Amino acid sequence: MKDHETGRIRFFLRAFFGYNEPQRAAYMRNFFLAALILAVFLSGRISYAQDYIVGQDDVLKITVYDHADLTTTVRVSGDGLINFPLIGSVQVAGLTTLQIGQKISTLLADGYVVSPHVSVFVEEYKSKKATILGQVDKPGIYVLSGDTTFLQLLSQAGGLTPDAGDRAVVNRKSSVPGRGDSVITIDLKGLVSAGNTSLDVAVEDGDNIYIPKAGVFFITGEVKKPDAYKFAEGTTVIKAITTAGGLTDKAAAGRIRIIRKIGGKEEVIENAGMDTPVIINDIIVVPESYF
């Protein structure tokens, strides 16, 4: 667990009680995000080890046991090559660190070093990057430091904003020529709020991740807190009213109407029932009772 991640958890706890409801909800989501990342590390699910595939601009430290003079720190060139003492240029791009160690061992054993033992570590990860945009605190391009999941990348981007929706969209380029890009949808509500880490996905080089702003609905009239509210899947009239603090004593619960735009045209749903589904941008009007 890195120090900045532990500090993030402490910060969320201190800040939680000093902010209004939307900010507090965002802090709670980010607190759960930090806790999830901790759980992932403790479970050993994330491995930065020998299955990392090296690429251009990665910096490698290569050590040969009992041969300190051969210890080398080198950057992978644009051609995927490194220069190593005694054996010269070695193609390493596309290989794991374990495979690179085995390759150099074989080359050194060919007349240079008797039974060489070579270890390879990635000192700087530079070859793989992903972009995360939208409703995060620090959108941008991030270097993928070894195996990286969506949760880890989200943590690097500062977590979700209060306006974040319940879905993230990952656009992934196909590695197969002629095949179109794939789109992966991540259920943020299930992953971050409910803590279902099975919804976490591995981030790949070149991924473009977008987290859209949540839609809203509006409720006005005889409710205790008329306002615009963040939309969630499965919202009904009764849930909207509950979100708005409930009905006032003057409310005409049997005459609620919904003003909805469909295809640019405004439609009105009269006498909407409590179980009527609400969609994004609906305006729920609760009239005053005649009596």
Side-chain angles (χ1 to χ4, degrees), residues 4 6 8 11 43 47 49 53 59 85-86 103 109 111 116 155 160-161 166 169 171 177 181 207 214 239-240 253 279:
H4 77 275
T6 305
R8 187 186 299 280
F11 174 77
S43 69
S47 169
I53 298 176
V59 177
L86 301 180
K103 185 173 186 177
S155 177
L160 301 169
T161 70
D166 292 334
V169 179
N171 287 288
D181 296 352
D207 278 357
K239 288 183 179 180
I279 65 173

Side-chain angles (χ1 to χ4, degrees), residues 7-279:
R8 187 186 299 280
I9 294 174
R10 291 198 298 266
F11 174 77
F12 289 151
L13 287 173
R14 289 197 303 268
F16 174 66
F17 292 102
Y19 291 89
N20 61 32
E21 184 120 5
Q23 291 172 318
R24 196 173 295 161
Y27 275 113
M28 280 304 295
R29 285 201 295 182
N30 287 330
F31 168 75
F32 285 127
L33 170 62
L36 279 172
I37 291 171
L38 173 60
V40 166
F41 272 99
L42 292 178
S43 69
R45 182 167 173 245
I46 302 303
S47 169
Y48 293 103
Q50 296 164 333
D51 56 354
Y52 175 74
I53 298 176
V54 171
Q56 177 183 343
D57 292 331
D58 284 339
V59 177
L60 307 179
K61 182 175 182 179
I62 305 171
T63 304
V64 183
Y65 181 70
D66 262 354
H67 292 273
D69 56 318
L70 295 180
T71 296
T72 302
T73 300
V74 62
R75 186 181 299 275
V76 181
S77 73
D79 295 327
L81 301 170
I82 61 169
N83 283 309
F84 194 78
L86 301 180
I87 58 178
S89 294
V90 181
Q91 182 74 38
V92 298
L95 302 178
T96 66
T97 53
L98 180 61
Q99 290 170 334
I100 294 169
Q102 292 170 340
K103 185 173 186 177
I104 293 175
S105 293
T106 299
L107 293 171
L108 287 174
D110 188 16
Y112 299 103
V113 178
V114 176
S115 300
H117 297 281
V118 179
S119 60
V120 180
F121 299 93
V122 181
E123 288 216 330
E124 294 182 26
Y125 296 91
K126 295 290 186 180
S127 65
K128 296 174 177 59
K129 301 178 179 66
T131 303
I132 184 167
L133 300 173
Q135 298 303 308
V136 292
D137 284 342
K138 295 181 290 184
I141 300 173
Y142 288 86
V143 173
L144 302 180
S145 301
D147 297 333
T148 303
T149 69
F150 171 78
L151 278 178
Q152 289 176 292
L153 185 61
L154 183 58
S155 177
Q156 291 182 58
L160 301 169
T161 70
D163 293 331
D166 292 334
R167 296 285 186 273
V169 179
V170 182
N171 287 288
R172 177 167 296 170
K173 293 182 179 178
S174 173
S175 59
V176 180
R179 182 177 296 178
D181 296 352
S182 59
V183 178
I184 301 168
T185 301
I186 299 173
D187 177 7
L188 294 178
K189 189 174 181 180
L191 176 60
V192 177
S193 300
N196 184 357
T197 55
S198 68
L199 299 174
D200 201 5
V201 300
V203 178
E204 297 185 3
D205 182 34
D207 278 357
N208 288 291
I209 302 169
Y210 181 69
I211 300 174
K213 188 174 183 179
V216 298
F217 66 87
F218 306 86
I219 185 165
T220 186
E222 295 302 321
V223 290
K224 293 178 181 177
K225 294 186 291 183
D227 207 338
Y229 290 94
K230 183 177 175 179
F231 175 81
E233 293 292 336
T235 298
T236 60
V237 169
I238 186 61
K239 288 183 179 180
I241 290 171
T242 302
T243 302
L247 300 171
T248 69
D249 294 337
K250 298 179 180 179
R255 294 192 290 112
I256 295 172
R257 67 182 185 274
I258 300 174
I259 302 172
R260 177 175 296 172
K261 281 191 176 181
I262 299 178
K265 294 183 179 180
E266 189 174 282
E267 296 185 7
V268 179
I269 302 173
E270 300 284 356
N271 303 321
M274 291 296 176
D275 59 350
T276 301
V278 175
I279 65 173

